[in-house]
Amino acid sequence: MKPPDVICNYEKTLVILTFFYCVANFAQADSIPKIEKFSSLSLKFDDLKNTSDIFSYRIWNFGQAIDIRILADSTKVGNITNFITELPFTTIDQSREYNEDSLQVYVQKISLTPLEVQNAFQTIERYKIYNLPTQFDIADWKAILDGEFFETEQKYNGIYVKKTYSNPRQQTNHEGKAFVSFFDELIAVTNAKEYYKPFYKNLKIGCYSKKNEGMIFCKTNKRKRKSK
């Protein structure tokens, strides 16, 4: 049996640790960027074409847009925008006929840390991704309709360009392999997948679609599904 003073000190330490644990959890929860809801018609992103940025690069895929920019004052910034379109049915068996203009989009904007921004710039520079042609200017790029589809926007040396890359993982050319390597590394250094997990977790039960994915998917109540 512990002496009374040891028990007292032990209980005090436990109370203190519990307090700091609660404070840390509260601060973490409070720091999670809020999720906003917009109509599909009112959802807007910064117009990179008409900014005064020294450099800007945006890539769209999997319900995320990653922006890496050098502003006019040479400040380097980056952010990830999670977004997903809510569909007007709750199971995949429902009719898919709907008015796209009336749909709602959930949006969450996250500022990248200085280290994530720096790592992203290093990745962009290492692959010289701004010099990679769009798929339509690559002679042996195979046009495959189903699968991944990427869009990019960039402003480099004062010139704004949009590019597309469909199914780069199924390409056998150097350009396709280079794009896949770049994208996978960018996702890793910006922690994009980790930033998406809590966003998806907080979505309500229902069906959704993501930009650049033709597939509709539904979030269901796992507990209720298991009990059947």
Side-chain angles (χ1 to χ4, degrees):
M1 182 175 179
K2 296 179 181 178
D5 58 335
V6 174
I7 294 175
C8 184
N9 290 334
Y10 173 79
E11 290 178 344
K12 286 182 179 179
T13 302
L14 184 61
V15 169
I16 292 172
L17 289 175
T18 302
F19 170 77
F20 281 111
Y21 175 79
C22 292
V23 170
N25 280 345
F26 177 80
Q28 183 179 13
D30 191 54
S31 65
I32 296 175
K34 65 179 179 178
I35 298 176
E36 300 181 279
K37 193 173 183 179
F38 298 91
S39 73
S40 59
L41 294 177
S42 63
L43 179 61
K44 304 288 185 183
F45 286 81
D46 291 343
D47 180 7
L48 299 184
K49 183 177 182 179
N50 295 307
T51 65
S52 56
D53 290 358
I54 297 173
F55 172 84
S56 54
Y57 185 83
R58 174 183 293 155
I59 184 166
W60 307 78
N61 189 250
F62 299 122
Q64 284 186 323
I66 303 175
D67 282 61
I68 305 296
R69 302 166 62 181
I70 302 178
L71 306 181
D73 62 359
S74 297
T75 302
K76 294 181 178 180
V77 297
N79 63 70
I80 287 178
T81 305
N82 295 321
F83 59 102
I84 195 165
T85 303
E86 182 181 20
L87 300 176
F89 41 85
T90 57
T91 67
I92 203 67
D93 298 325
Q94 296 292 328
S95 169
R96 295 189 183 185
E97 295 182 5
Y98 50 84
N99 179 5
E100 292 189 4
D101 292 343
S102 66
L103 298 179
Q104 300 293 306
V105 183
Y106 291 95
V107 182
Q108 181 188 49
K109 189 170 183 178
I110 300 163
S111 296
L112 297 177
T113 67
L115 179 60
E116 289 167 341
V117 172
Q118 184 60 34
N119 288 340
F121 271 107
Q122 290 176 353
T123 301
I124 289 171
E125 184 58 31
R126 182 161 55 256
Y127 284 91
K128 299 288 190 292
I129 197 66
Y130 39 79
N131 290 332
L132 186 69
T134 184
Q135 69 175 73
F136 303 110
D137 294 332
I138 301 172
D140 56 345
W141 193 282
K142 300 175 183 177
I144 306 170
L145 297 179
D146 295 329
E148 291 180 301
F149 180 79
F150 297 81
E151 291 179 345
T152 69
E153 297 178 67
Q154 67 181 52
K155 191 171 186 180
Y156 179 57
N157 288 335
I159 300 173
Y160 172 82
V161 179
K162 279 187 175 182
K163 301 177 184 179
T164 61
Y165 303 94
S166 60
N167 288 291
R169 298 183 194 279
Q170 297 184 41
Q171 307 301 321
T172 57
N173 50 49
H174 167 74
E175 291 86 353
K177 293 178 180 178
F179 181 85
V180 169
S181 295
F182 160 75
F183 176 73
D184 288 346
E185 185 171 321
L186 183 68
I187 291 296
V189 300
T190 58
N191 294 304
K193 288 185 178 179
E194 295 305 312
Y195 283 127
Y196 191 82
K197 287 179 181 178
F199 171 72
Y200 178 79
K201 183 179 179 181
N202 282 286
L203 293 176
K204 66 181 183 179
I205 302 301
C207 295
Y208 302 87
S209 66
K210 299 178 184 177
K211 181 179 176 66
N212 297 336
E213 289 189 28
M215 182 176 61
I216 293 173
F217 67 97
C218 297
K219 184 177 181 182
T220 59
N221 189 327
K222 292 183 178 180
R223 292 182 179 177
K224 184 177 292 187
R225 186 173 60 190
K226 289 180 179 179
S227 64
K228 289 183 179 181

